[in-house]
Amino acid sequence: MIGRLRGILVEKQAPEILIECNGIGYEVTLPMTSFYHLPQLEQETIIYTHFVVREDAQLLYGFANPTERKLFRLLIKVNGVGPKLALAILSNMSAGQFVHCVNLDDVATIVKIPGVGKKTAERLLIEMRDRLKDWGNDIATPMTDTISVDNQAEEAKFVIASSNKDDAITALVSLGYKPAQADKAVKAVYKQDLSSEELIRDALKSMV
């Protein structure tokens, strides 16, 4: 089991990164809530990981902290919820925000996440309620909390602005949104000076 990686951030193309550890490059897929906290390229970072082995692939999922990873591991234990859907959930809200939804039995917010229908949302709330009851108040932050992207402020923008738009749309599609839905959401929040990460963040916020 690969539980943590510490190395240099070589590439990042949401929601995937390449992190080099002792000469080995690991491809890792992150939820956007963790992706926003990444440092600039060529800087050292620590990623908490969950390793998935399938017949046709070996996949690494990464998280900014152990709490996000813990929730991911609980989510994939729910019937009908795989890694891709768990990733989509954690891309739309932080672990604390999800716990807040569970505590409020907030089906309306959960069903806005791509791939989550009403029955799946209801099952999530029922099963996760018991699994999260011992987590305490340290994770249950209000839904009004926002994810900080201040560490991205100094990162260089792409020379071609339309590239940022395309990258944002591609990232949303990889998270489960339909191409037309992703295109519409990104265009609605598009500003030329926004990075692809900022476009993804704003597009996700507009849909949930």
Side-chain angles (χ1 to χ4, degrees):
M1 176 69 74
I2 301 174
R4 193 183 81 153
L5 295 173
R6 179 176 181 175
I8 303 300
L9 184 62
V10 179
E11 298 176 7
K12 57 177 180 176
Q13 180 67 55
E16 298 178 351
I17 67 168
L18 181 66
I19 179 173
E20 184 176 324
C21 306
N22 297 320
I24 301 175
Y26 294 88
E27 294 180 341
V28 188
T29 303
L30 284 70
M32 291 308 302
T33 46
S34 292
F35 197 94
Y36 298 142
H37 293 287
L38 291 170
Q40 298 180 27
L41 294 179
E42 303 303 325
Q43 291 191 0
E44 185 178 82
T45 187
I46 295 176
I47 302 295
Y48 295 87
T49 59
H50 179 82
F51 187 40
V52 174
V53 178
R54 302 189 323 211
E55 291 184 1
D56 60 342
Q58 296 184 25
L59 306 170
L60 264 178
Y61 296 94
F63 308 89
N65 55 65
T67 297
E68 302 283 330
R69 182 181 62 182
K70 180 179 180 180
L71 181 56
F72 176 86
R73 289 173 169 173
L74 290 176
L75 284 168
I76 59 177
K77 292 180 180 179
V78 176
N79 184 33
V81 177
K84 185 175 182 179
L85 184 53
L87 201 72
I89 292 170
L90 286 174
S91 288
N92 282 272
M93 59 184 68
S94 68
Q97 291 168 338
F98 179 81
V99 172
H100 192 70
C101 281
V102 173
N103 290 338
L104 294 181
D105 204 25
D106 188 359
V107 174
T109 297
I110 301 296
V111 296
K112 294 179 181 179
I113 299 171
V116 180
K118 186 176 181 181
K119 289 184 178 179
T120 300
E122 291 173 345
R123 184 165 61 248
L124 268 169
L125 293 177
I126 291 172
E127 293 192 30
M128 294 300 291
R129 190 178 299 121
D130 291 335
R131 293 172 182 171
L132 296 175
K133 63 182 179 181
D134 296 326
W135 279 42
N137 297 323
D138 56 324
I139 185 175
T141 54
M143 287 296 293
T144 53
D145 284 2
T146 57
I147 303 298
S148 172
V149 292
D150 290 342
N151 63 328
Q152 301 294 329
E154 299 301 322
E155 188 165 352
K157 309 295 184 181
F158 290 100
V159 176
I160 303 175
S162 61
S163 173
N164 289 349
K165 185 189 297 182
D166 293 340
D167 289 343
I169 293 171
T170 299
L172 291 176
V173 171
S174 71
L175 292 172
Y177 288 94
K178 295 180 180 179
Q181 187 180 17
D183 183 74
K184 181 179 179 181
V186 171
K187 286 182 177 178
V189 299
Y190 177 74
K191 292 180 181 178
Q192 190 172 358
D193 60 339
L194 293 180
S195 68
S196 56
E197 288 93 341
E198 291 168 330
L199 285 173
I200 296 166
R201 177 202 61 191
D202 292 348
L204 287 170
K205 287 174 64 177
S206 73
M207 291 187 286
V208 176

